[in-house]
Amino acid sequence: MANPTALVTGASRGIGQGISIELARAGFNVVVNYAGSEDGARRTAEECAEAAGENDIQTHIVRCDVGKAADRERMIGAAREQFGSLELLVNNAGITSIGRRDVLEAREEEFDALMAINLKGPYFLTQLAANWMRERDTSAEQSSPRFAPKVVTVSSISAYAVSTNRGDYCMAKAALGMMTKVYAARLAEFGINVFEVCPGVIASDMTAPVKEKYDKMFADGFTPIRRWGQPEDVGRAIVAIAEGYFPYSTGDTINVDGGFQIRQL
Ligand code: NAP
């Protein structure tokens, strides 16, 4: 049987790269999306091939700004042409708040730019992918739950933990939680389960500027598991979903945060 196929947005660096590598290790073909870092996307594809080892997986690199409708259409078209079916969409691409301005100084054009990438992109990319997934031949998934199509969206602990200098980021991440539930409710009848994966503080380019701050916070017990999250931590959680180990769950949030969400007295 052919491999299932995953499309990972923002796969040229950081968490998206880690997700792609873990999916390839598990025997998924990967559509590696990037916006500007073509070299990074090539590295992801190479590392996917290495991780896959004996698994004969394929990767396909596609440039697409997820905030742009024409780019999203082109990317889904390229994936369809290359692989014929899509078993997993991972909405991972995202940017941090532009300028990290105090909410009292936030600028409208920066708000719009972030919302286009972090919220509008996943909302309409999921729509495109889901309409494609609906058309599928369901015979393969009778023999293996990894062929049942799924959607995973990477949100953040910022969906519920406030940063007053990243209001737009926090709001977009909170909205992705509702997006997950809306699509979960709508797509269940088509056998498409939908999940939110909520990472804590993960080592990547996004968190590199605040590395010292978090080094100290982790050492002081900021999370019960006292270490930085790594991209592969998120990747492994997504592999568990992709493999079909949550067949009777949809609309759920999987926390990958070292226990950050636990309240303690
Ligand atoms: P990162 O290292 O900054 O990487 C961002 C990725 O998104 C890159 O692959 C980038 O592609 C891509 N991207 C940016 N704008 C894009 C666009 N318009 N269209 C398509 N791709 C675009 O960030 P990260 O830390 O891996 O974060 C990945 C996701 O996890 C984000 O949604 C982020 O909000 C979320 N998250 C991160 C953390 C954390 O602590 N790092 C925690 C919680 C949630 P190019 O390289 O081509 O620009």
Side-chain angles (χ1 to χ4, degrees):
M1 193 183 278
N3 303 316
T5 296
L7 188 164
V8 182
T9 67
S12 50
R13 296 183 275 131
I15 294 175
Q17 188 170 62
I19 294 168
S20 301
I21 292 166
E22 294 309 317
L23 285 167
R25 197 189 309 286
F28 281 71
N29 297 323
V30 184
V31 180
V32 176
N33 161 245
Y34 73 99
S37 315
E38 190 176 350
D39 287 349
R42 288 193 196 292
R43 264 196 304 283
T44 301
E46 284 163 16
E47 291 193 33
C48 283
E50 205 172 298
E54 301 286 288
N55 281 326
D56 190 20
I57 63 120
Q58 289 178 49
T59 55
H60 187 62
I61 296 171
V62 186
R63 197 201 66 75
C64 157
D65 176 343
V66 296
K68 296 193 172 141
D71 277 22
R72 291 191 297 269
E73 294 264 4
R74 195 175 39 74
M75 177 165 66
I76 290 291
R80 195 191 268 263
E81 195 172 307
Q82 184 71 21
F83 295 112
S85 69
L86 184 68
E87 281 70 32
L88 177 68
L89 168 66
V90 183
N91 289 307
N92 164 77
I95 59 170
T96 193
S97 192
I98 301 166
R100 291 183 179 243
R101 292 178 213 285
D102 184 281
V103 66
L104 297 177
E105 308 289 336
R107 295 184 185 169
E108 202 167 325
E109 64 280 11
E110 292 172 349
F111 178 99
D112 287 345
L114 180 137
M115 289 295 171
I117 296 169
N118 287 17
L119 184 57
K120 187 179 77 172
Y123 185 67
F124 286 106
L125 186 61
T126 300
Q127 184 191 68
L128 279 179
N131 278 316
W132 175 17
M133 289 166 169
R134 279 171 63 183
E135 298 169 6
R136 74 197 183 279
D137 166 5
T138 55
S139 55
E141 63 209 68
Q142 312 302 333
S143 53
S144 171
R146 64 203 321 241
F147 286 92
K150 300 155 195 95
V151 176
V152 175
T153 298
V154 177
S155 65
S156 171
I157 54 175
S158 295
Y160 59 88
V162 164
S163 295
T164 56
N165 64 343
R166 294 186 298 133
D168 48 4
Y169 183 85
C170 295
M171 288 161 63
K173 291 300 183 184
L176 291 177
M178 179 51 79
M179 182 189 99
T180 297
K181 292 187 194 331
V182 169
Y183 273 117
R186 185 67 184 89
L187 298 179
E189 68 178 282
F190 306 111
I192 303 169
N193 291 0
V194 183
F195 299 88
E196 173 187 10
V197 167
C198 187
V201 178
I202 311 291
S204 75
D205 290 349
M206 190 178 277
T207 48
V210 284
K211 181 174 181 308
E212 269 181 39
K213 167 183 160 184
Y214 283 110
D215 280 346
K216 186 170 181 324
M217 286 169 69
F218 280 117
D220 292 345
F222 162 65
T223 50
I225 301 176
R226 289 189 179 207
R227 66 164 175 87
W228 281 81
Q230 298 298 326
E232 57 266 34
D233 292 320
V234 183
R236 287 181 197 175
I238 291 179
V239 167
I241 295 169
E243 290 285 13
Y245 290 123
F246 298 93
Y248 195 52
S249 305
T250 195
D252 287 286
T253 302
I254 313 287
N255 295 301
V256 186
D257 65 358
F260 173 85
Q261 89 290 354
I262 301 167
R263 290 181 177 209
Q264 298 188 60
L265 290 174

